[in-house]
Amino acid sequence: MTDLGMARNPEGDGAASTGRDRRGWRRGIRRVMAIGLLSAGIAVAIVLAVGFASFREFASANRLREELLYSSLIRDHLQHIFEDLLSAESGTLGYVVTGREEFLDPLTSAQENVRQDIEALSRLAWARPEHSVALTELSRFAEEEIRLLLEMAETRNKAGGLAASTVMEARRGKAVMDRIRRVVMDISAAEVAAAEQQTFQVRLASQRTKQTLLLLLSAAIAVVVGSTLVMIAHLMGRRRAEMVLADTLGRHRATLASAMDAIVTVNDKGQIETANPATTRMFGWSLEELAGAPVARLFLPPGETAARRPDMLDQLVAQAADGGAAREFEGLCKDGSPLPVDVVVGRMQSSDGNRLVAIFHDITERKRAEIIKNEFVSTVSHELRTPLTSIAGSLGLLNGGAVGELPPPAKRLVFIAHENSRRLVRLVNDILDIQKMQSASMTFAREPVVMEEVARLAIEQNTGFAAEHGVRLTLHADEADTSVVGDQDRLIQVLTNLISNAVKFSPADGVVALSVERREDVVRVCVQDHGTGIPESFRASMFTRFAQADTTDTRQRGGTGLGLAIVKEIVDRHAGRISFESEEGVGTSFYVDLPARLMSTPAPRQKEPAPVLLVESHTASAKVLTADLAREGIATERAETAAECEGRSVLRAYRAILIAPLLRDRDGISLVRSLRRTERTRTTPLMMVTLPLTPETEAEAEGETAPRPLMALPVAGWLDSPPERARITSLAAGLDHPPVLLHLCLSGPARRAMAEAARGCADVIPAGNLAEAHAVLALRPCDFLVVQFDDAALSPQDLEALVRQPPGTLPPLVGCSPADLDAVQARMLADLMAKGAGGLAHLTTLAEWRDTARTGGPERKGP
Amino acid sequence: MTLHVLYVDDDADIREIAALSLGLDPAIAVETAASGQAAVERARQGGLDLILLDVMMPQMDGRTTFAALQGLNLTPPVPVVFVTARTQAHEIALFKDLGAIGVIAKPFDPMTLARDIRALHTAALA
């Protein structure tokens, strides 16, 4: 699984806006949940409050009931006492009057009943401390009343009715009874008042409780209604959002379905998840076949070996991390045909993982148009030059007086025609230059160049032109080292264009001053004039094509309007910068800043052997190879591209350069050619290496003892087909004799071409197959094995066997094929090498190469 | 000493102009050839000091003609200057690698052509 790196996405792209939507949605959910929780809390609080209020209401009613019961009990007892005493009194009076014993029954029962009631009252009286005095009095009066009645009955019994009447008439009993009545009435009245008071209180409390309950109930209803409304609103919002989403999805589906470009989504395992119908139209795979297939299926891998495909996902992820801008790839259709595509990559975040969206735009037509345009421009330029040569030549001869003096008006006309023919030539040259630069078909040398020397040469070339305008050129240079890495001819072109502009805009007797100085890591060349200056309005468009301050300039100054555009293009290609300062009427200074060449540090005497430079675009393979070499005690530097290799090899010496046949920017064979043409690497040992890794074998290969599909093939050089004499001669560098070439080739014309090219500078021994080659080697030593890679007659088995030879059995290999087929040959070589697995054996011979690198050539092998 | 120069170009107008401009130098004797084959034929007869060879020619182009001239093994070898409308730096380097003593870009300046090739010839002899 690959980390699709979503976290690094800082831009407000699609993924981010999806994230925003999701965050908004989550916020909505959180809000609804909070409202739900809050209303539930409020509802619970209301229920508790209602419960509490009801409970309190219930308790207070209970208390009231108890109180009332209590009060009525007290009053009952008082009533009983009073009635019992009244009955006892009436009975006793009856007895006094009649003397009949049965009238004493109420007194007898009153004695017991009153005692019991008094007792009951005393028991009840603990909660009525206010009645305690009255009750005590009541008890005392009741006892006294009973005692009086008993005394009266006794008196009747003993002294007869009259005595009893006397006692009765003393009215002592009535007084006691009055007191008792008063006490009973007092207590009863107090009880009734207390009961009424309590009832009133309770009624008041009950009313309050009712109000509270009503309030709480209203609150509860409000909360329930409120939260229900909020939830309904949310649900409606969600429904609306779902409808919008459905609409958007529908629109997107329709867009995807009608898109001209293939659009696929890729998961973090590199598998295609969805693809639109255009994908089927472009690549020929059905949507069912694509679902779950590795995205690498849509790409023509470098070398067409399946082993190199899986890093496609890494490439796409890296591209997405770089902003995802369109990059050109070679696509692969189901029928195996290649399809040039521009691929734009975007990242997508979703709840179930990160994804990539890759958009493939078919650029077949554009490619075709580019080729046609380039060919057209090239052809037109060439075809224009041929008649121009005649026109400019004829006019030049006329103008120069080569065929005699012309009458003055004719001379003037011829002069004008000649000047314009020259301008036309410059225009054609400039158009061709800029077209080549912009189509990147112009290769720039990368060699150490001293800018002071460049400035001197530029001045030399322009002195005549300046003199025609009466302008003097001067040079001031620093003592410091002003070397840069680049293409001397192109840099001269930069200064020539700047000088020619400066001269054209300088007054007669003016001076154009060049200066070269070193500013830390930059070499600055300044071209300064004291001319008219650049108008403010023109400064912004100065470096665009056909931009001139004044249309009349073209005619008056004879420029093409392309000079500065070319200057900028060349400076850009040197990783430099162009700038200017100008003041109208005072003059202009142009500054060219180029990265200074960093000198390799002076070598100490006991220095480590130089490292090996590994040129490999595939990171995993480079890692494994570097580790392998480190175990052999060989230090490695890595270059990811051919261009980086060229840059590095100019800056320092390497023990050897290991080159993968297929590189991101170019092929390994053209790199071999260019390394051999460059002075510094003319004799550096070169080796083609392949280590095809799949993700499955990748982890395995990193282990120390794991078998590797590693193949290494020492390559001494690469000749053009038909070969050039000069290149064959250069093979002899470091040998003290003309080189002996064993030419593995079946084709007659190729053999003849080789023999012809090598005549006088090398011995060529042809061999039709590998067996023949071995037979030759058994008889005589050969310096190089030249393999005619473009020879269709050569047996594929021989070529396979060739890459499988143990180290040392064959002389160093020199390939031979047409330069314009390098990419094709490199692919073939990579395939070939994928079939052999030489392991580390060849690489370990690097230790021996240390010496040959010093002498500049391989040792001669053989008997 | 007269310099015997052969100018090889398939374009008759250019041959004429080249002959005229080289003829400005009284010490140069100019001959022209309209094809690679004619040039090789003329070179085989000897007596040439320098050959100016156009690159883009039908049938036998400049490079092939050059290879054929080298195949003649003339003694002393006749130095060759390529004249080309294609003036990419690497092409110039390629021609020099092949063994040419110089490359002149088309269109050339007819007034200085003689001087230029004389300078190249002198440099090659040195």
Side-chain angles (χ1 to χ4, degrees), chain A residues 510-778:
Chain A
V511 172
V512 170
L514 268 76
S515 65
V516 186
E517 58 175 327
R518 171 79 180 252
R519 297 181 150 202
E520 291 180 359
D521 292 343
V522 169
V523 176
R524 165 169 280 199
V525 184
C526 169
V527 180
Q528 187 185 23
D529 66 54
H530 301 285
T532 50
I534 301 164
E536 189 71 52
S537 57
F538 174 58
R539 290 179 191 176
S541 60
M542 284 244 308
F543 295 104
T544 50
R545 283 187 265 177
F546 297 110
Q548 284 186 322
D550 181 344
T551 42
T552 57
D553 274 357
T554 315
R555 208 161 46 246
Q556 287 177 1
R557 316 279 185 188
T560 62
L562 286 170
L564 284 178
I566 291 174
V567 164
K568 179 152 175 26
E569 193 71 36
I570 296 174
V571 172
D572 283 350
R573 293 278 293 265
H574 281 81
R577 193 172 159 266
I578 178 131
S579 54
F580 63 92
E581 284 169 5
S582 183
E583 199 177 329
E584 281 187 70
V586 176
T588 305
S589 296
F590 274 93
Y591 304 105
V592 177
D593 293 327
L594 298 167
R597 178 185 166 215
L598 301 172
M599 305 296 282
S600 44
T601 45
R605 205 149 279 286
Q606 285 289 316
K607 70 163 192 167
E608 288 282 299
V612 164
L613 180 61
L614 172 61
V615 196
E616 168 64 281
S617 302
H618 190 261
T619 305
S621 301
K623 218 165 98 187
V624 174
L625 275 170
T626 306
D628 279 348
L629 290 166
R631 275 195 283 280
E632 296 298 323
I634 300 167
T636 314
E637 281 183 18
R638 182 191 168 201
E640 279 184 49
T641 58
E644 190 184 343
C645 164
E646 286 170 335
R648 280 176 177 269
S649 59
V650 169
L651 297 177
R652 73 171 297 179
Y654 291 96
R655 185 197 304 185
I657 301 177
L658 310 185
I659 303 165
L662 302 163
L663 297 166
R664 198 160 61 224
D665 57 340
R666 258 164 63 195
D667 62 277
I669 294 178
S670 72
L671 178 60
V672 167
R673 290 183 197 274
S674 105
L675 289 172
R676 282 299 182 243
R677 282 207 185 97
T678 307
E679 189 52 46
R680 180 135 206 178
T681 50
R682 204 180 289 277
T683 57
T684 308
L686 305 179
M687 226 184 239
M688 287 287 183
V689 284
T690 55
L691 180 64
L693 292 180
T694 62
E696 293 79 45
T697 58
E698 206 168 278
E700 216 173 90
E702 285 187 25
E704 253 180 62
T705 51
R708 289 148 164 69
L710 168 68
M711 181 68 222
L713 189 64
V715 173
W718 211 278
L719 297 174
D720 210 344
S721 179
E724 302 148 14
R725 188 184 181 80
R727 295 257 74 86
I728 294 176
T729 318
S730 74
L731 282 175
L735 294 180
D736 54 0
H737 54 271
V740 182
L741 313 182
L742 181 53
H743 188 206
L744 189 58
C745 171
L746 266 178
S747 135
R751 282 189 177 191
R752 279 195 295 282
M754 177 64 73
E756 201 170 300
R759 188 180 302 158
C761 65
D763 292 340
V764 182
I765 306 164
N769 54 44
L770 206 56
E772 262 183 62
H774 277 298
V776 172
L777 285 169

Side-chain angles (χ1 to χ4, degrees), chain B residues 49-61:
Chain B
D49 298 312
L50 185 70
I51 299 174
L52 289 173
L53 194 52
D54 182 32
V55 177
M56 298 279 281
M57 291 189 290
Q59 283 142 22
M60 202 165 163
D61 69 1

